[in-house]
Amino acid sequence: ILRPRARKLGLGTAYIHGMKHATGNFIVIMDADLSHHPKFIPEFIRKQKEGNFDIVSGTRYKGNGGVYGWDLKRKLISRGANFITQVLLRPGASDLTGSFRLYRKEVLQKLMEKCVSKGYVFQMEMIVRARQLGYTIGEVPISFVDRVYGESKLGGNEIVSFLKGLLTLFATT
Amino acid sequence: MTKLGQWLCGLAVLGSAWAALALAPPGLQLATPYRQALLPLPVYLLVAFGCYSLATVGYRLATFNDCEEAAAELQEHISAARADLRRRGLRF
């Protein structure tokens, strides 16, 4: 069932829009441009049942998770940013900027209320706040096949706003 | 406490311990070899952390999985899905 919106309105409001129409107890968030493959959804569900987790996060960095279509520079930026994040925030999850996740519906609602940032930092903030609130997080390795459709948006601006957001989280959580 | 708060506390504790031992006034000083080792310790630790960071990021960069099969499989799935939808009457 597709619930389209008038135009591009941003990721946060997209989550809220989706939640309004969701009828189940759990919500899976993922990219729709096929970089996230639906075949992983049963694994998320299985993992959630295994540990009764509040959140199951897809990770590109552990197990047989990985990426396709990234050059060395992109991989370096990814690993470097993740390393800095791990040192500063010690979040207890290996992939903080990934957006392929399963949430308990009430957990997603609660987190949406608390999160204030945008973009990559938003995904990080979700995990950090979840930790603060004592929610449990499980991980599932996923493969991220870089955009078959659409254009990627990792430029200098993105990096600067990522660092600003990271420092904000560092100082406020 | 925020992460920043934790870092500042930790640095304050370690910093004051180091200052007390390494910069103590004459009379309360440790034996010379200990002081000589203690004085540059912060810089050593910083450099060690820098090396650890480079090594870790380098290792993780080198072992970053490339999912070739996933990409190939995805292309197959896309063509299969298109064929299926075409069969059901959807025009591309």
Side-chain angles (χ1 to χ4, degrees):
Chain A
I1 306 172
L2 228 53
R3 296 261 178 268
R5 298 199 291 171
R7 60 192 175 283
K8 187 170 167 205
L9 293 166
L11 187 64
T13 51
Y15 282 13
I16 295 173
H17 180 81
M19 271 196 290
K20 279 207 207 83
H21 294 107
T23 54
N25 297 321
F26 294 93
I27 298 188
V28 175
I29 304 275
M30 56 194 291
D31 288 358
D33 60 359
L34 297 181
S35 33
H36 291 149
H37 200 305
K39 71 177 180 182
F40 290 107
I41 296 182
E43 292 190 37
F44 277 82
I45 298 175
R46 193 180 42 80
K47 185 76 190 181
Q48 193 283 325
K49 289 206 177 105
E50 195 184 300
N52 196 25
F53 294 111
D54 297 309
I55 302 175
V56 179
S57 176
T59 173
R60 296 157 294 173
Y61 299 133
K62 267 167 69 172
N64 55 1
V67 296
Y68 179 81
W70 280 11
D71 58 8
L72 206 62
K73 180 176 161 203
R74 180 89 198 259
K75 285 187 187 177
L76 178 61
I77 294 174
S78 184
R79 282 296 200 182
N82 182 261
F83 178 77
I84 299 174
T85 308
Q86 295 290 333
V87 168
L88 289 180
L89 297 181
R90 300 190 320 273
S94 62
D95 191 346
L96 283 168
T97 48
S99 49
F100 196 175
R101 298 185 186 149
L102 171 89
Y103 293 89
R104 231 186 266 280
K105 191 168 172 187
E106 324 83 67
V107 171
L108 183 58
Q109 277 167 338
K110 189 73 191 277
L111 289 175
M112 291 300 303
E113 282 166 34
K114 294 205 150 244
C115 288
V116 294
S117 34
K118 305 213 184 309
Y120 290 114
V121 186
F122 170 67
Q123 300 299 343
M124 295 193 322
E125 195 186 355
M126 296 284 270
I127 296 281
V128 170
R129 300 244 178 249
R131 277 272 170 235
Q132 271 185 328
L133 293 166
Y135 294 132
T136 52
I137 304 177
E139 293 195 301
V140 164
I142 55 156
S143 51
F144 181 89
V145 179
D146 204 359
R147 292 171 198 252
V148 176
Y149 302 104
E151 293 163 21
S152 193
K153 48 185 188 330
L154 187 66
N157 275 334
E158 289 274 306
I159 297 180
V160 168
S161 58
F162 168 83
L163 288 173
K164 281 207 277 201
L166 176 59
L167 289 175
T168 308
L169 281 180
F170 178 61
T172 57
T173 60
Chain B
M1 189 189 278
T2 65
K3 288 289 181 296
L4 177 60
Q6 288 173 3
W7 275 70
L8 291 176
C9 272
L11 287 175
V13 167
L14 293 174
S16 40
W18 173 82
L21 291 174
L23 306 175
L28 270 85
Q29 286 173 356
L30 297 173
T32 311
Y34 294 120
R35 284 189 68 233
Q36 279 178 344
L38 216 50
L39 221 43
L41 197 60
V43 180
Y44 284 166
L45 289 178
L46 217 56
V47 172
F49 176 71
C51 294
Y52 165 77
S53 304
L54 283 176
T56 305
V57 174
Y59 171 75
R60 289 177 179 173
L61 178 61
T63 56
F64 210 156
N65 270 339
D66 260 318
C67 334
E68 320 253 307
E69 334 83 48
E73 186 191 44
L74 182 60
Q75 291 301 333
E76 278 177 28
H77 287 172
I78 292 178
S79 356
R82 297 189 96 136
D84 183 58
L85 287 170
R86 216 171 274 128
R87 223 185 315 121
R88 291 171 200 248
L90 204 65
R91 254 172 295 272
F92 286 98

